[in-house]
């Protein structure tokens, strides 16, 4: 008798904000309504899609479902996974902007700025460190 085992070789990536400062930071993320709607139309339920972003670390302060804006507090020495999935690197397609309020406010108001802010620290792991 012969047994055949099939194993997926899909690689996963993650992109996270790490708060290495001595104070809390606030992350404000504005989601792209069209992209979110597209994902829903492909069969990914809205509630599940949003819950993915809500349960990745930190403390949810608010989520405006009309304007698609999430605010989350990250305490010192904590992190929040902003994006994760299959593939080699994040594309941040769900976001219009990410603003990080700390000692200095960091405004990432385009996908290019968001991509440039997250540095690759090892294979498929990207980090934006706040000091």
């Amino acid at each position: 008798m012969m047994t055949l085992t099939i194993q997926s070789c899909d690689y996963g990536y993650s992109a996270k904000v790490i708060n290495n400062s001595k104070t809390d930071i606030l992350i404000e993320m504005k989601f792209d309504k069209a992209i979110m709607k597209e994902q829903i139309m492909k069969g990914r339920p809205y509630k599940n899609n949003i819950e993915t972003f809500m349960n990745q670390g930190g403390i949810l302060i608010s989520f405006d479902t009309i304007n698609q804006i999430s605010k989350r507090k990250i305490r010192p020495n904590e992190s929040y996974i902003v994006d994760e999935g299959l593939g080699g690197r994040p594309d941040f397609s769900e976001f219009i902007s990410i603003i990080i309020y700390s000692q200095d406010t960091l405004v990432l108001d385009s996908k290019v700025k968001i991509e440039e802010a997250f540095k690759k620290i090892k294979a498929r792991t990207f980090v934006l460190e706040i000091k």
Side-chain angles (χ1 to χ4, degrees):
M1 179 176 257
M2 200 158 98
T3 303
L4 176 64
T5 304
I6 298 175
Q7 182 176 355
S8 174
C9 293
D10 290 335
Y11 294 105
Y13 65 83
S14 68
K16 63 184 170 180
V17 174
I18 299 175
N19 182 5
N20 281 333
S21 74
K22 294 185 182 344
T23 61
D24 293 347
I25 63 172
L26 179 71
I27 301 175
E28 179 180 291
M29 298 175 291
K30 184 169 187 179
F31 294 93
D32 186 321
K33 290 181 188 180
I35 296 293
M36 299 301 266
K37 184 175 182 180
E38 180 182 301
Q39 290 181 1
I40 293 164
M41 298 306 285
K42 289 181 180 178
R44 188 170 184 190
Y46 178 78
K47 185 173 185 272
N48 292 348
N49 201 21
I50 294 303
E51 284 177 350
T52 297
F53 289 104
M54 297 301 109
N55 295 311
Q56 303 288 345
I59 300 166
L60 179 65
I61 302 300
S62 67
F63 186 79
D64 177 345
T65 57
I66 294 173
N67 296 305
Q68 300 286 290
I69 298 173
S70 170
K71 294 182 181 176
R72 176 174 301 276
K73 179 170 69 172
I74 310 298
R75 293 186 173 135
N77 302 311
E78 290 185 348
S79 62
Y80 172 66
I81 298 173
V82 173
D83 196 4
E84 67 180 354
L86 297 178
R89 66 173 296 115
D91 64 6
F92 303 103
S93 63
E94 296 90 356
F95 302 103
I96 291 176
S97 65
I98 299 175
I99 302 173
I100 300 175
Y101 300 95
S102 61
Q103 297 289 19
D104 296 314
T105 299
L106 177 61
V107 178
L108 307 172
D109 55 3
S110 71
K111 290 189 187 349
V112 171
K113 287 181 182 178
I114 295 169
E115 287 176 2
E116 289 174 350
F118 285 83
K119 305 301 180 205
K120 183 176 182 178
I121 59 166
K122 61 182 180 180
R124 298 173 303 282
T125 303
F126 300 80
V127 168
L128 170 55
E129 182 179 7
I130 305 299
K131 293 182 181 184

